[in-house]
Amino acid sequence: MDSRAVIESVRDGRASPEGMAWFARGLASGKVTDAQAGAFAMAVLLKGVPEDCRVALTRAMRDSGDVLTWDLPGPVVDKHSTGGVGDSISLLLAPALACCGAYVPMVSGRGLGHTGGTLDKLEAIPGYNVDVSEPRLRALMRETRCAIVSASSRIAPADKRLYAIRDVTGTVESLDLITASILSKKLAAGLQVLVLDVKQGSGAFLPGVDQARALARSLVDTANGAGCRTSALITDMDRPLALTAGNALEVAEVMDTLTLRAPSARLLDLTCALSGEVLFLAKLAPSAEAGAAKIRAAIEDGSAAERFGQMVAAQGGPADFVERYASLLPEAPVIREVPAPGPGIVAAIDTRAVGTAVVHLGGGRLAGGDAVDPRVGFSALAEPGASVGPGAPLAMVHAASEAAAEAAIATLQQAYRLGEAPAPVALVQERVA
């Protein structure tokens, strides 16, 4: 078998699991050239591959580097989101699950495009270290039962190489390659249960509902085929998930929710829905609904906040972060109202534009090596159906300079459309299992 034969088999619609696995190993070893990897990615994008081939590719990419195994007195679980705006669910979900009998070695990523990254949010906490060794991760599982860390260079190196090539060859949108990329990294963490949050709407990478269904189906079938109990929820991203967008601002909203000082309803509801699904699949609850109730109780009795504080301290952050987060999180020097363009009711939000505005404020990366400013973003974002106008702004902008604030105000005003109140949209739209 060689690279050309595998590429031709995909191009001609006769891909085989053996060929996909061979190609993944060749990516990791260097036997496959960049040109061949680009041709392979384009062939997969244009022709697609059957489910057994997608499973074989995912497994081989997972096995191209380190794969963790665990000997713990409880199930090893995780959640993955396909990316959104104002989505800080992981920071709530990991400690809440740890309070309910699960172990959560969450390997997370940084911001991508208009979407925020879990690691960038956590690095707004002074001292929080996302780069931990495997022995330290194992110790964290024993100490706190949850950790949120970055992937080491030894996790799924075949995916790392193929992803970089997809980024410059116009093949990022391939459903099969998206599936293999997401799952190869997640499954390398040695998970027994995975729940996927597949976003649909103006702030999602794949905004159409049919696209979201197809991705959810692909992810669930492939992960189950690779031996990990998996389901997916398709959730609304036609508006920011929470009332803030920006790293330190989102951490503050998480803490307001964990401590019940000012709970964010949508954050809390989606955390319970996703975590309940995890507990059900992990056989820690008799149903997803019962699991959701256990998670809500862990948040309401303060144990999830306490566990979050333990995780922060164990990963280098302040020992008193839960008590003092408001004074410990960095604050932007310029904070201004974003006036509504006129009186009216919020009819719709271009959520992608909101995320892009945060990136241009410095809260994300326009190029790979850009530094992230954790202070910037938006708070108090007006929700669909809200009345805005004099005395009722669209949001508050947090910026590093007056000029940056002015540009962000103009962008956010364009992202909001005023008109008739929209019909209510369910936060969780479908379950795929």
Side-chain angles (χ1 to χ4, degrees):
M1 190 172 293
D2 58 35
S3 299
R4 178 174 175 175
V6 175
I7 294 165
E8 289 175 346
S9 71
V10 176
R11 180 199 66 191
D12 296 340
R14 48 183 179 82
S16 69
E18 296 76 18
M20 303 299 275
W22 184 94
F23 205 89
R25 292 192 293 269
L27 284 165
S29 70
K31 192 169 186 177
V32 171
T33 68
D34 284 357
Q36 290 166 334
F40 170 81
M42 186 61 72
V44 174
L45 173 72
L46 295 176
K47 298 292 289 190
V49 296
E51 182 184 330
D52 60 345
C53 291
R54 196 165 58 238
V55 170
L57 179 64
T58 301
R59 280 178 162 160
M61 287 170 61
R62 175 198 66 189
D63 295 342
S64 66
D66 291 350
V67 179
L68 300 178
T69 58
W70 300 97
D71 182 17
L72 294 168
V76 179
V77 307
D78 200 356
K79 180 273 307 180
H80 178 79
S81 167
T82 58
V85 177
D87 181 1
S88 49
I89 292 290
S90 293
L91 279 63
L92 289 148
L93 175 142
L97 284 172
C99 291
C100 295
Y103 290 81
V104 194
M106 186 176 285
V107 179
S108 293
R110 300 194 178 276
L112 182 63
H114 68 282
T115 68
T118 297
L119 300 182
D120 297 326
K121 300 180 208 297
L122 284 167
E123 286 183 334
I125 299 173
Y128 192 99
N129 179 26
V130 301
D131 298 315
V132 304
S133 66
E134 182 182 328
R136 181 57 186 150
L137 178 59
R138 293 186 180 280
L140 289 170
M141 287 301 98
R142 294 191 298 271
E143 293 170 21
T144 62
R145 301 173 70 129
C146 62
I148 304 179
V149 302
S150 64
S152 79
S153 60
R154 298 189 300 275
I155 295 291
D159 172 67
K160 186 169 292 187
R161 184 155 176 243
L162 184 58
Y163 189 91
I165 289 166
R166 288 166 57 211
D167 194 37
V168 297
T169 55
T171 55
V172 170
E173 294 80 6
S174 164
L175 196 69
D176 297 304
L177 297 181
I178 290 172
T179 298
S181 179
I182 290 172
L183 294 179
S184 62
K185 295 189 288 285
K186 281 293 180 183
L187 299 183
L191 304 180
Q192 295 166 306
V193 167
L194 174 65
V195 169
L196 299 146
D197 180 3
V198 179
K199 304 296 188 185
Q200 182 271 321
S202 65
F205 276 111
L206 299 174
V209 65
D210 289 340
Q211 293 174 301
R213 285 188 185 120
L215 178 57
R217 183 80 273 157
S218 175
L219 287 164
V220 168
D221 289 348
T222 303
N224 280 308
C228 180
R229 292 194 299 277
T230 302
S231 66
L233 300 182
I234 297 176
T235 66
D236 173 51
M237 192 40 67
D238 260 331
R239 54 176 283 191
L241 178 59
L243 301 178
T244 59
N247 296 305
L249 296 168
E250 291 183 47
V251 174
E253 188 170 9
V254 165
M255 298 312 301
D256 286 345
T257 301
L258 279 174
T259 60
L260 303 180
R261 293 179 185 176
S264 177
R266 281 167 59 85
L267 272 183
L268 185 55
D269 288 349
L270 188 53
T271 297
C272 291
L274 290 164
S275 301
E277 191 75 18
V278 171
L279 292 180
F280 171 57
L281 291 183
K283 301 180 181 179
L284 293 172
S287 67
E289 293 75 17
K294 289 181 69 172
I295 293 296
R296 193 175 293 272
I299 292 173
E300 290 179 349
D301 69 14
S303 57
E306 181 180 359
R307 188 69 57 114
F308 185 85
Q310 293 168 357
M311 182 183 76
V312 167
Q315 291 188 234
D320 58 352
F321 182 72
V322 173
E323 294 75 25
R324 296 183 54 225
Y325 66 89
S327 62
L328 290 170
L329 289 168
E331 185 174 291
V334 177
I335 303 175
R336 290 177 48 188
E337 287 189 354
V338 180
I345 295 172
V346 176
I349 304 172
D350 181 347
T351 309
R352 180 181 288 259
V354 176
T356 300
V358 174
V359 173
H360 282 272
L361 278 166
R365 298 171 183 82
L366 292 169
D370 287 352
V372 169
D373 187 342
R375 307 170 298 173
V376 302
F378 299 104
S379 63
L381 286 159
E383 302 176 85
S387 296
V388 295
L394 295 179
M396 302 295 294
V397 62
H398 301 245
S401 68
E402 291 288 350
E406 286 291 343
I409 287 170
T411 300
L412 196 71
Q413 288 173 332
Q414 291 294 316
Y416 273 73
R417 181 170 64 81
L418 306 185
E420 295 184 4
V425 175
L427 178 55
V428 177
Q429 299 181 347
E430 296 180 32
R431 178 179 187 268
V432 178

